[in-house]
Amino acid sequence: MKMKYWQEEIETASRETLDSLQSERLIATVKRVYEKVPMYRQRMDEAGVKPEDIKSIKDITKLPFTTKQDLRDTYPYGMFAVPMNEVVELHASSGTTGKQVVVGYTEKDVHTWGEICARALVAAGADETDFVHVSYGYGLFTGGFGLHYGAQQIGATAIPVSAGQTKRQVTILEDFGSTILCCTPSYAMTIAEAVEQAGIDAAKLPLKAGIFGAEPWTEEMRQYIEDKLKIKAYDIYGLTEVMGPGVSFTCEHQCGMHVNEDHFIIEVLDPETFEPVPDGTIGEIVFTCITKEAFPVIRYRTKDLGYVTREKCECGRTFARMSKILGRTDDMLIIRGVNVFPSQIETVLLEQGYAPNYMLIVDRVNNADTLEVQVEVTPEIFSDKAAALTSYEKKLQVAIRELLGIQAAVKLVAPNTIQRFEGKAKRVIDNRKLHD
Ligand code: AMP
Ligand code: ZN
């Protein structure tokens, strides 16, 4: 049965109802973590804040922040707020540097996780008749399980394909009749290519929607994937420390991601002063978990940049919406003093008609930063004369200079020479670190 919402009452609740629910849950969470998690107690004591000082969501700014370093320092179970015998599942962040972060879920937490993913699935048009093809990795990474639980909660059929073996993904799409594909946008691209290479007409597949996330992707990339796979593509956001995928999700209006505010409080802060910024202003996104039992984080600094709006959405959901992630403070490249996000370059490439197969190589030569943009071309262009290729390269170079004000070396490379990804893409090689 087609549903507009998974849980209409809460997803369309009035702002007053949401505010008071958040206040009540925040008060209870702060009290609990103060009692159960030594690090929170110590931090709050240092900041001179007592649980009684938190009387409503307005008081959230009195609380200290939590960072990834705090979670590493308490590795593996130091931040758990329940005894381990109540923890039914563990996951860990993919963390490429330093120790990974371990997070835990009680039975209720697992249910909540499924619930928020069910909301995202329903917003993408899913019901119990759907076949949900999950190509996020299953394992310690949270991607696979969240959408798996969500699909099962709505009574749909979960297909836990996991990431990899792309040819097999295509066979399953075709033979099992997958209707909703869940994976990273980069992997959706890889799968779309494999569908094409198998000589399959994407329009004839039963696939109708995709729920893609776990990495930043541009609006242009979304349209590109929609066109290639002949589906509607939805964004889903989340992070291990807060829950996993499903913290926020897009509805059919594609105008930002609705934050599941009955479970998480979102704040957007000035990245330098850490003071809250007004709605619509870009800043670092910070989350507080207000229903999690095993691993509730308080004011967790995500390092993701975006903005929030509380304007009414046409879908009827009242949950605040966050913008697409514009980048992570970690991913921002500073090239000759100019701040560059890989997503800005992706936008230029797609606007100029290239496929999003590219690599950014940053280096330092004679004390000056250099940026090389390698991008694949279509076989038709590649077989053109060298002079024609150079003119394409020039055109891209100009477009990048116009947008970012920096001179980049552009190198068009042969089709299928740039790495493809099954999970999160890694499109930046920063060789400057080698010289430091
Ligand atoms: P992980 O905990 O390994 O799943 O990584 C979480 C991080 O992935 C977030 O902090 C974001 O930087 C990124 N991420 C997750 N979902 C999205 C999304 N929909 N758009 C952009 N970035 C995302
Ligand atoms: Zn909406």
Side-chain angles (χ1 to χ4, degrees):
M1 191 192 59
K2 273 280 153 277
M3 297 165 275
K4 200 156 179 231
Y5 315 100
W6 176 237
Q7 289 158 313
E8 180 166 358
E9 195 177 335
I10 189 70
E11 290 181 65
T12 61
S14 68
R15 185 46 40 198
E16 297 69 49
T17 307
L18 285 174
D19 282 354
S20 68
L21 186 69
Q22 285 193 329
S23 291
E24 180 193 309
R25 290 180 170 178
L26 176 69
I27 294 165
T29 302
V30 170
K31 187 163 177 290
R32 207 159 62 80
V33 297
Y34 188 83
E35 283 163 11
K36 310 275 184 199
V37 184
M39 207 212 63
Y40 283 126
R41 187 178 326 124
Q42 188 195 330
R43 286 287 164 81
M44 285 175 59
D45 286 347
E46 278 164 13
V49 196
K50 291 270 166 263
E52 309 78 80
D53 297 330
I54 308 302
K55 298 189 182 75
S56 83
I57 39 172
K58 288 204 188 76
D59 297 320
I60 196 166
T61 51
K62 294 179 182 161
L63 294 165
F65 295 114
T66 309
T67 64
K68 194 159 196 135
Q69 192 55 47
D70 296 327
L71 308 188
R72 287 196 174 124
D73 292 346
T74 51
Y75 173 89
Y77 305 139
M79 300 277 280
F80 284 28
V82 297
M84 286 311 284
N85 64 357
E86 288 177 31
V87 175
V88 300
E89 190 161 322
L90 293 176
H91 283 277
S93 78
S94 43
T96 42
T97 51
K99 258 188 197 143
Q100 52 184 354
V101 164
V102 181
V103 300
Y105 305 72
T106 63
E107 205 176 334
K108 179 169 164 256
D109 293 335
V110 171
H111 184 84
T112 306
W113 190 16
E115 178 178 287
I116 59 178
C117 287
R119 291 178 190 169
L121 280 155
V122 169
D127 66 15
E128 71 282 4
T129 62
D130 278 294
F131 290 84
V132 182
H133 181 128
V134 185
S135 308
Y136 285 111
Y138 279 67
L140 284 177
F141 175 51
T142 52
F145 284 94
L147 282 144
H148 184 98
Y149 295 140
Q152 291 188 330
Q153 264 188 41
I154 62 176
T157 308
I159 316 178
V161 196
S162 196
Q165 294 184 275
T166 308
K167 275 195 182 146
R168 183 165 153 264
Q169 302 273 349
V170 178
T171 310
I172 292 173
L173 278 179
E174 210 175 15
D175 296 352
F176 292 19
S178 316
T179 54
I180 298 184
L181 173 65
C182 308
C183 58
T184 61
S186 311
Y187 199 37
M189 278 276 313
T190 309
I191 293 176
E193 267 181 353
V195 167
E196 212 167 33
Q197 278 158 12
I200 296 166
D201 176 3
K204 297 218 171 86
L205 288 175
L207 201 63
K208 61 179 186 191
I211 303 187
F212 306 129
E215 63 179 359
W217 53 314
T218 56
E219 177 58 22
E220 290 76 14
M221 175 100 155
R222 189 175 70 75
Q223 287 165 11
Y224 187 91
I225 297 172
E226 287 193 333
D227 182 56
K228 286 277 166 197
L229 282 172
K230 307 287 181 256
I231 57 172
K232 211 162 153 54
Y234 296 81
D235 201 351
I236 187 165
Y237 169 91
L239 62 165
T240 316
E241 296 83 349
V242 174
M243 180 64 101
V247 172
S248 63
F249 60 95
T250 42
C251 66
E252 73 272 24
H253 296 284
Q254 310 279 12
C255 51
M257 297 181 276
H258 287 285
V259 178
N260 282 299
E261 286 188 283
D262 52 334
H263 297 298
F264 313 106
I265 297 176
I266 184 170
E267 293 173 85
V268 182
L269 306 181
D270 182 309
E272 269 151 35
T273 63
F274 303 123
E275 291 297 322
V277 296
D279 286 3
T281 306
I282 297 172
E284 179 177 348
I285 294 175
V286 169
F287 283 108
T288 299
C289 301
I290 47 173
T291 54
K292 259 172 96 188
E293 293 181 333
F295 196 84
V297 282
I298 305 292
R299 304 194 85 197
Y300 184 70
R301 286 187 41 202
T302 64
K303 297 198 169 178
D304 290 324
L305 296 172
Y307 57 90
V308 80
T309 172
R310 288 182 173 80
E311 276 169 25
K312 219 169 156 28
C313 180
E314 278 177 53
C315 73
R317 286 178 185 80
T318 44
F319 290 159
R321 282 170 283 149
M322 56 190 257
S323 63
K324 262 193 175 309
I325 298 298
L326 309 170
R328 286 178 61 75
T329 48
D330 283 353
D331 295 345
M332 190 177 78
L333 296 165
I334 304 180
I335 298 174
R336 273 169 265 143
V338 179
N339 298 346
V340 176
F341 285 106
S343 60
Q344 293 174 296
I345 297 189
E346 182 176 297
T347 302
V348 176
L349 298 179
L350 287 161
E351 274 173 4
Q352 302 262 325
Y354 294 90
N357 295 314
Y358 64 95
M359 206 51 129
L360 308 181
I361 296 142
V362 187
D363 211 332
R364 188 176 298 137
V365 180
N366 297 334
N367 285 325
D369 299 328
T370 59
L371 169 66
E372 177 176 288
V373 179
Q374 294 185 352
V375 58
E376 267 182 26
V377 286
T378 56
E380 299 77 51
I381 298 181
F382 200 66
S383 61
D384 276 0
K385 290 202 188 63
L389 269 190
T390 312
S391 81
Y392 282 110
E393 287 173 347
K394 283 247 158 63
K395 202 167 155 225
L396 254 183
Q397 203 172 28
V398 170
I400 292 171
R401 198 177 49 230
E402 272 171 8
L403 181 78
L404 300 170
I406 54 165
Q407 187 77 15
V410 174
K411 192 165 158 201
L412 297 183
V413 299
N416 290 315
T417 51
I418 289 199
Q419 190 189 346
R420 300 296 192 265
F421 300 95
E422 295 174 352
K424 295 174 191 256
K426 197 176 173 310
R427 299 194 189 279
V428 180
I429 300 173
D430 196 339
N431 291 323
R432 290 179 299 189
K433 294 189 182 119
L434 300 175
H435 315 310
D436 289 342

